[in-house]
Amino acid sequence: MTLSHPRISKAVIPAAGLGTRFLPATKATPKEMLPVVDKPAIQYVVEEAVSAGLDDVLMITGRNKRPLEDHFDRNYELESALQKKGDAGRLAKVQESSDLATMHYVRQGDPRGLGHAVLCAAPHVGHEPFAVLLGDDLIDARDALLQRMIEVQAQHGGSVIALMEVAPEQIHLYGCAVVAETEDSDVVKIGGLVEKPDAADAPSNYAVIGRYVLDPHIFEILRKTQPGRGGEIQLTDALQQLAQDETVGGPVHGVVFKGRRYDTGDRGDYLRAIVRLACEREDLGPEFRTWLRSFVAEEM
């Protein structure tokens, strides 16, 4: 029998971080606004939510994040100037971001961790399941990870997290999942989570990446969750409780992702993401790939 669960329509995007790894570029510019080719990273994330059918987007912001709101708002002066020039192409690109979704914003007063940022969404989300998308992880538009996670949540209820297999020496950089196989090759049952374990203590090499579909019971747990690693309220700690007690908010499953992911939270990976995406662009790729081959041959 197929179970019926509430349809997910809302996406939450935490964007209150200080972006210290990208200083001094992020001293006055939010890290989410750093361009990946010619679009800010945050726009890729909003586009992903919309393509999965989530057109109600709440962004959790902080001080000095006003440019995020401006980017998804209308800019009448710029639009008017482009219209007068007859530059329909650039006008469409400018208007695209403001027409993407119904955007909402709430400030996280203190940077108290991802769990606290998600908790800030409670009044907007209410009693519905919802998606959380972290802006540091860009998922290629050709890989429908979020859609698959929504399907799994509709089938099983509870919460669903995105997982990716990583090398054992990298697992200390991620939350790590205790998993059990299911009938679906890309879906596992989550029995527990450990935040950034040492390789010797890691229960698996399944790393948690920045996509979640969460049952609203997560809010009750987050309200009671004490600060953990780094003195912050960790979302992983709350998910650990859900995984251990299914009576609270249903089971926790993981979707094992094997597609294309671009980590823009690290400076090296940020640069690699730009190169990869530029190479694949129809308007930039051919010329850029030719230059890149020549550069590598001459300089390396």
Side-chain angles (χ1 to χ4, degrees), residues 24 50 76 79 104 169 211 259-260:
V50 172
Y76 292 102
E79 291 177 29
H104 309 270
E169 60 269 20
R211 296 295 181 270
R260 289 154 286 201

Side-chain angles (χ1 to χ4, degrees), residues 36-37 170 261-264 266-280 288 292:
V36 180
V37 188
Q170 292 183 314
R261 166 181 173 256
Y262 312 108
D263 182 358
T264 61
D266 174 83
R267 288 174 299 174
D269 283 344
Y270 170 76
L271 294 174
R272 285 186 281 272
I274 292 174
V275 171
R276 288 179 186 135
L277 290 171
C279 284
E280 294 176 359
F288 184 67
L292 190 60

Side-chain angles (χ1 to χ4, degrees), residues 192-212:
L193 294 161
V194 182
E195 181 67 20
K196 297 182 178 178
D198 293 332
D201 301 324
S204 74
N205 64 335
Y206 284 100
V208 180
I209 59 175
R211 296 295 181 270
Y212 309 81

Side-chain angles (χ1 to χ4, degrees), residues 143-265:
D143 297 318
L145 170 61
L146 189 56
Q147 289 96 319
R148 177 58 176 151
M149 294 174 68
I150 292 171
E151 290 173 3
V152 172
Q153 198 279 337
Q155 180 181 358
H156 297 286
S159 299
V160 182
I161 62 180
L163 301 175
M164 208 169 187
E165 290 190 79
V166 300
E169 60 269 20
Q170 292 183 314
I171 197 64
H172 72 281
L173 300 171
Y174 299 88
C176 177
V178 180
V179 303
E181 294 182 355
T182 70
E183 295 179 355
D184 295 313
S185 61
D186 65 333
V187 178
V188 293
K189 182 80 174 292
I190 304 295
L193 294 161
V194 182
E195 181 67 20
K196 297 182 178 178
D198 293 332
D201 301 324
S204 74
N205 64 335
Y206 284 100
V208 180
I209 59 175
R211 296 295 181 270
Y212 309 81
V213 175
L214 300 177
D215 183 275
H217 284 91
I218 195 78
F219 296 130
E220 298 174 19
I221 297 175
L222 285 170
R223 292 187 182 100
K224 301 173 185 177
T225 300
Q226 297 299 310
R229 190 182 183 98
E232 298 181 336
I233 297 174
Q234 298 288 349
L235 180 61
T236 303
D237 292 342
L239 286 167
Q240 163 79 349
Q241 291 190 47
L242 284 179
Q244 292 182 331
D245 184 1
E246 294 184 13
T247 64
V248 177
V252 179
H253 286 85
V255 170
V256 180
F257 181 60
K258 297 182 179 180
R260 289 154 286 201
R261 166 181 173 256
Y262 312 108
D263 182 358
T264 61

